[in-house]
Amino acid sequence: MATIPLQPTWQLGNWQGRDFLDFADHSALDLQDLLSLALDLKDKHKKGIPFRPLAGKTLGMIFEKASTRTRVSFEVAMFQLGGHALFLSSSDTQLGRGEPIPDTAQVLSRYVDGLMIRTFGHENVIELARYATIPVINGLTDLHHPCQVLADILTLFEKKGTLKGRTVSYIGDGNNMANSWLVAAPKFGLNLRIATPPGYECDSAVVEQAKNLAAQHGTEIVLTHDPVEAVKNTDMIYTDVWASMGQEEEQAQRLAHFAAYQVNGELVKHAKPDYLFMHCLPAHRGEEVTEEVIDGPNSVIFDEAENRLHVQKAILVATMG
């Protein structure tokens, strides 16, 4: 696979009017174009160059889960691109009172130019996209979080200069973050190792899909229960909270099961000396990661968080522009 160019060469013909629900829906070249666009838009932003291709357009943002980075990055992105973002919580719309998703999709398609949804079941996003006549963006589901992983990959590229052949190690719960990494990594030429406790593995269908993609793109996927094996000589270590939204009742049980999967000073000794540490945030310091790691010199969590803005802009321009 080609290396992402330092100078933007993006072509967005394949993106216009399409949804962004999951990495599996898009080719490696289309995703590379999206990352190149994000780099270009970030450069414009840093140089103070106005770029408002979405003037007069509105993004409807449906939130059934709490959010900091997703809401702020999408809202600011729309403003800086010349458009408007409309916040819609489930308690503020008829979705919260049982209106069918197809009805909501068709009505909102008459009002706004694109929809972003942050919800629980991935099937909700799929159904919304099926009935909407405008682009739909997955802001997070229990199965996938592609917007976050795209920002992570942008950060890795900026810090390391190349992606192909590098190794990313994910430690912790086989949740939506791990699932999105599984599908994205092969398409960007990355090797991926995932270490989860027994019983907390990634979605089996996603794993099978990822293994097929790895074979196509000549990359490696390793699934293990041994965190040391996962991080040995790796370029990047990634983790997430052990109990995601909706799993709060499992907190005590998960603390016991995940204790050996903490990213700490001992574990990171097995990585390359210049490894990067990333976390999608919010973090529970002292649980999945120690302060010496998350606040240490190898941590790039705030650069990673900033890149949500630039990736969100790219997704919006590509699908709604």
Side-chain angles (χ1 to χ4, degrees):
M1 179 186 149
T3 301
I4 295 171
L6 289 174
Q7 296 300 319
T9 60
W10 40 272
Q11 301 291 326
L12 300 178
N14 291 336
W15 280 100
Q16 296 300 299
R18 293 181 65 186
D19 304 316
F20 185 65
L21 310 182
D22 175 6
F23 289 112
D25 300 330
H26 306 283
S27 72
L29 289 177
D30 284 348
L31 292 170
Q32 178 176 308
D33 282 344
L34 197 60
L35 217 57
S36 294
L37 174 58
L39 284 165
D40 187 25
L41 296 180
K42 183 174 183 178
D43 183 62
K44 283 182 169 62
H45 177 77
K46 296 297 183 183
K47 292 177 179 176
I49 300 172
F51 185 63
R52 299 186 175 90
L54 301 186
K57 295 193 175 183
T58 300
L59 175 73
M61 306 190 304
I62 302 172
F63 284 88
E64 296 185 318
K65 282 191 175 187
S67 171
T68 298
R69 280 150 291 275
T70 298
R71 178 178 177 179
V72 174
S73 58
F74 269 108
E75 196 159 333
V76 172
M78 280 299 292
F79 174 77
Q80 292 182 355
L81 292 170
H84 175 69
L86 186 64
F87 175 78
L88 303 166
S89 74
S90 56
S91 61
D92 295 331
T93 66
Q94 296 299 332
L95 274 175
R97 299 180 60 201
E99 181 174 43
I101 289 175
D103 291 359
T104 296
Q106 292 177 79
V107 168
L108 292 180
S109 294
R110 306 291 182 101
Y111 296 151
V112 300
D113 303 283
L115 287 169
M116 186 282 297
I117 182 169
R118 183 176 172 93
T119 186
F120 292 89
H122 193 71
E123 64 277 3
N124 294 340
V125 174
I126 293 173
E127 188 173 19
L128 186 70
R130 181 181 299 127
Y131 288 96
T133 56
I134 53 177
V136 173
I137 299 166
N138 176 8
L140 174 143
T141 68
D142 288 343
L143 188 64
H144 286 291
H145 196 358
C147 291
Q148 177 65 57
V149 171
L150 197 63
D152 303 335
I153 293 173
L154 174 61
T155 309
L156 177 60
F157 174 74
E158 288 180 321
K159 300 299 181 182
K160 295 298 185 181
T162 59
L163 295 175
K164 189 174 183 179
R166 295 200 179 274
T167 298
V168 173
S169 302
Y170 179 95
I171 311 298
D173 190 19
N175 59 13
N176 51 5
M177 291 305 311
N179 289 334
S180 281
W181 269 111
L182 275 167
V183 185
K187 294 194 173 191
F188 286 100
L190 295 164
N191 300 312
L192 179 66
R193 303 181 198 146
I194 295 180
T196 61
Y200 294 92
E201 294 86 356
C202 298
D203 182 88
S204 58
V206 175
V207 169
E208 189 63 29
Q209 182 183 56
K211 287 180 177 179
N212 291 333
L213 286 170
Q216 293 172 28
H217 293 279
T219 65
E220 182 184 49
I221 289 178
V222 174
L223 304 176
T224 179
H225 297 305
D226 183 354
V228 173
E229 177 189 357
V231 304
K232 201 167 291 182
N233 295 317
T234 192
D235 295 288
M236 188 179 113
I237 298 176
Y238 202 105
T239 193
D240 191 8
V241 294
W242 292 341
S244 299
M245 284 178 283
Q247 299 172 334
E248 289 80 5
E249 293 182 359
E250 303 174 27
Q251 179 73 19
Q253 176 184 350
R254 283 172 172 262
L255 283 174
H257 291 172
F258 283 82
Y261 293 81
Q262 183 185 69
V263 179
N264 53 36
E266 284 301 310
L267 182 63
V268 301
K269 287 178 182 177
H270 299 279
K272 291 180 180 179
D274 63 345
Y275 83 96
L276 300 177
F277 174 77
M278 293 195 203
H279 191 304
C280 55
L281 301 179
H284 293 171
R285 285 171 162 81
E287 290 183 14
E288 73 271 9
V289 59
T290 58
E291 288 191 350
E292 67 175 317
V293 173
I294 196 169
D295 295 325
N298 297 77
S299 177
V300 293
I301 60 170
F302 297 118
D303 294 326
E304 174 192 6
E306 177 192 343
N307 277 337
R308 288 292 302 277
L309 172 64
H310 308 297
V311 160
Q312 257 61 304
K313 281 186 177 181
I315 295 168
L316 292 167
V317 171
T319 58
M320 293 172 57

